Amino acid sequence: MDCTFPLRSATQRSLQPARWKNAHGVGSHHSEHSLSPGGSGHQHSRLEPLECRDLLVQNALFTGDLDMVQKYFTKGSAINLIIETRGDVLRWTSSKRGLWSLSYEQELTTPLHITASRGHTGCLRLLLQRGAAPDLAPGGRTALHAGGGAARAACARLLLRAGADPEALSEDGYRPLHLCRSADSIECVRQLLQYGASVNSQTEEENDTALHVASRLGLVEHVQLLLHHGAELEVKNKEGQTPLNAACAQHHQPQDMDRYYRVCQLLVESGASINAADREQQRPLHLACKNANAQIAELLLARGANVNVMNYGGSTALHNILQVAAYKLEHHPELVVRALLNHGAVRVWPGSLLKVLQSCHSCPRAIEALVNSYSHVRVSEDWEAAVPAEVVQKYPCFYQSLFSLGHSPRSLQHLARCALRTLLEGRLQLVLSQLHLPRALHQFLLLGFEDVLY
């Protein structure tokens, strides 16, 4: 019987018999099922899907041309079609003869996937009314995965109302909730949770929960919503990371530092463990220091994070920030160095200060905070050789004052600061907060930056 898709006039004349075939490659005219106008759309949703190669039909779906979609997808037509799309990404593929060639990445999709991912709600509603199967996943993901991933809230709502599974597992181990990865997808998250998506389900490969994903991406509203729906704070993924670890570990640009801070603030205020260690024994403070986020470091320290605990590599949080300071200048790593020292971080062994200078000379304020945490520092000619001439020219006052320490003692004011800091070691922040000191003196005791050494 004829399985060609019922089309009209010019479109019908443009089609060839092989343009429509079932998903396993059998020509449409060989199918045993009638897809004539007299059939039922719901009946077709249970039949083996056909493959669509007609560009006119595909163009109507991709552009959201509702009039054309209505003409092509009549009540008795095949609805559950398989469409093979070609992307812009080239990848290596092998042929049966063992030859490798570069070809464009191809993907199997359906009319539902196309309309849901592009936000064509009118077309999507029509397809669902005509009996399209909401959970069909020829490419490994359902239309709900596609709609949620593209932040199409209205489309996600239509699919869920039509019975789409909010817990559908994709071929690569993701549920729709795991693919809501943009700030605009917050309404999709809300819809999924309303229709029964499990807030704590994990991805199959990474063992990430939706809270891991949202925290890693710095999605403040997502984190807030997931926590409101009972997201667990201490679930660990394959790397041993809790959501707080994941947020602290994610590299981010200076303009994103504030939203990552707000994510961490939400997690901490909800009871997340401050000292949770991942598989490498990296704590949130270690990870925040690697990313030079002073706000997060201050938050963790204020909540009692262990400032001197080591990871498997033997590095403390101070080691981590000094290792990345030269590459994170726009993040102001000196603020992290100062915060750690003010919370009792064990200082660098004086004999290693030259190595620190060699790696951190482009961040003089980090050097300033570190050097000001010692009462005496032995500065030799090697220190001058460690700083490139162009850096000295950029920060002349600071480096001239640093090099002059090789032949002159520190000021009495500085020595008094060191004596008081030593006396209050481990209690500095607590005691200073209770003393009514002038602001200038308060900042001086907390290693405020002056861009010169005395």
Side-chain angles (χ1 to χ4, degrees):
M1 298 182 68
D2 188 11
C3 284
T4 55
F5 196 83
L7 301 171
R8 298 174 183 265
S9 59
T11 303
Q12 284 181 318
R13 291 195 297 272
S14 72
L15 296 177
Q16 297 178 5
R19 286 193 173 190
W20 298 86
K21 63 180 184 178
N22 72 24
H24 294 286
V26 181
S28 61
H29 56 283
H30 292 302
S31 173
E32 299 177 359
H33 304 288
S34 174
L35 300 181
S36 63
S40 163
H42 288 281
Q43 178 186 1
H44 303 318
S45 69
R46 296 191 297 270
L47 302 180
E48 189 173 271
L50 303 182
E51 183 178 336
C52 169
R53 294 182 180 178
D54 187 76
L55 296 181
L56 293 176
V57 177
Q58 293 184 27
N59 184 64
L61 292 167
F62 278 105
T63 59
D65 190 333
L66 182 57
D67 290 337
M68 296 306 294
V69 172
Q70 285 177 323
K71 290 179 181 179
Y72 295 153
F73 294 88
T74 61
K75 288 185 178 180
S77 65
I79 298 296
N80 296 317
L81 304 174
I82 306 300
I83 299 173
E84 189 173 25
T85 61
R86 189 176 75 167
D88 298 327
V89 180
L90 281 168
R91 66 176 182 180
W92 287 100
T93 56
S94 62
S95 64
K96 292 181 179 179
R97 297 181 180 181
L99 299 176
W100 287 81
S101 62
L102 269 176
S103 61
Y104 286 99
E105 190 174 40
Q106 294 179 319
E107 179 184 357
L108 296 178
T109 186
T110 71
L112 275 192
H113 285 73
I114 294 171
T115 53
S117 65
R118 283 161 178 76
H120 302 321
T121 53
C123 296
L124 180 65
R125 184 182 292 107
L126 174 71
L127 293 169
L128 290 169
Q129 289 172 346
R130 299 286 161 86
D135 289 328
L136 188 63
R141 295 185 177 185
T142 68
L144 191 55
H145 285 97
R152 307 296 185 182
C155 292
R157 187 183 304 112
L158 285 173
L159 289 164
L160 288 164
R161 288 176 178 174
D165 183 5
E167 278 290 280
L169 188 65
S170 69
E171 192 176 68
D172 46 0
Y174 296 97
R175 303 185 193 278
L177 200 58
H178 299 134
L179 299 181
C180 296
R181 300 181 177 186
S182 67
D184 295 337
S185 66
I186 183 65
E187 187 57 35
C188 292
V189 175
R190 191 172 283 111
Q191 291 292 325
L192 287 164
L193 292 171
Q194 180 181 337
Y195 278 85
S198 172
V199 72
N200 291 312
S201 61
Q202 294 176 267
T203 61
E204 286 201 330
E205 187 171 339
E206 302 91 351
N207 293 337
D208 279 334
T209 65
L211 189 57
H212 280 97
V213 175
S215 300
R216 185 179 296 115
L217 297 175
L219 301 176
V220 180
E221 287 187 84
H222 287 58
V223 170
Q224 198 167 22
L225 181 61
L226 293 168
L227 289 172
H228 179 73
H229 280 80
E232 294 183 15
L233 291 163
E234 303 307 322
V235 175
K236 292 193 173 185
N237 62 14
K238 190 176 180 180
E239 299 301 319
Q241 294 180 335
T242 65
L244 180 58
N245 291 81
C248 292
Q250 183 65 23
H251 296 294
H252 49 269
Q253 297 301 315
Q255 61 268 25
D256 298 322
M257 293 173 73
D258 184 61
R259 63 187 180 92
Y260 274 94
Y261 165 73
R262 284 186 286 148
V263 164
C264 292
Q265 186 180 39
L266 282 170
L267 294 171
V268 169
E269 290 178 351
S270 297
S273 175
I274 298 296
N275 291 308
D278 63 16
R279 291 176 57 185
E280 301 297 324
Q281 293 300 300
Q282 300 261 56
R283 273 71 171 181
L285 186 59
H286 288 113
L287 301 167
C289 289
K290 277 190 174 182
N291 286 312
N293 193 316
Q295 285 181 285
I296 297 177
E298 290 272 15
L299 170 70
L300 298 172
L301 290 166
R303 294 281 179 152
N306 189 331
V307 69
N308 290 315
V309 67
M310 294 183 180
N311 60 20
Y312 269 149
S315 294
T316 65
L318 184 59
H319 291 128
N320 282 357
I321 185 59
L322 293 176
Q323 288 167 4
V324 303
Y327 313 104
K328 299 278 188 178
L329 297 180
E330 293 182 351
H331 294 71
H332 298 289
E334 67 275 7
L335 299 177
V336 181
V337 174
R338 183 176 67 180
L340 294 172
L341 292 170
N342 286 335
H343 280 84
V346 174
R347 295 167 296 176
V348 177
W349 177 58
S352 296
L353 285 175
L354 178 57
K355 292 183 178 180
V356 174
L357 181 64
Q358 290 170 336
S359 64
C360 300
H361 52 68
S362 58
C363 185
R365 283 190 164 186
I367 301 298
E368 179 186 349
L370 194 58
V371 170
N372 275 339
S373 66
Y374 301 85
S375 57
H376 299 87
V377 173
R378 296 184 62 182
V379 177
S380 65
E381 293 180 356
D382 294 335
W383 286 50
E384 295 188 43
V387 185
E390 60 270 20
V391 176
V392 174
Q393 291 174 2
K394 188 174 182 179
Y395 309 103
C397 293
F398 174 76
Y399 278 110
Q400 287 171 12
S401 67
L402 174 64
F403 300 148
S404 70
L405 297 182
H407 47 78
S408 62
R410 299 301 302 266
S411 68
L412 183 60
Q413 188 178 23
H414 169 71
L415 295 176
R417 170 172 59 184
C418 288
L420 187 55
R421 286 176 62 88
T422 300
L423 179 65
L424 298 176
E425 189 168 1
R427 302 176 295 133
L428 181 65
Q429 295 278 3
L430 177 63
V431 172
L432 290 185
S433 65
Q434 297 175 356
L435 297 177
H436 300 290
L437 298 175
R439 179 175 176 78
L441 180 56
H442 187 272
Q443 289 300 308
F444 181 74
L445 290 171
L446 291 179
L447 305 178
F449 301 113
E450 300 180 69
D451 299 315
V452 66
L453 296 169
Y454 298 104

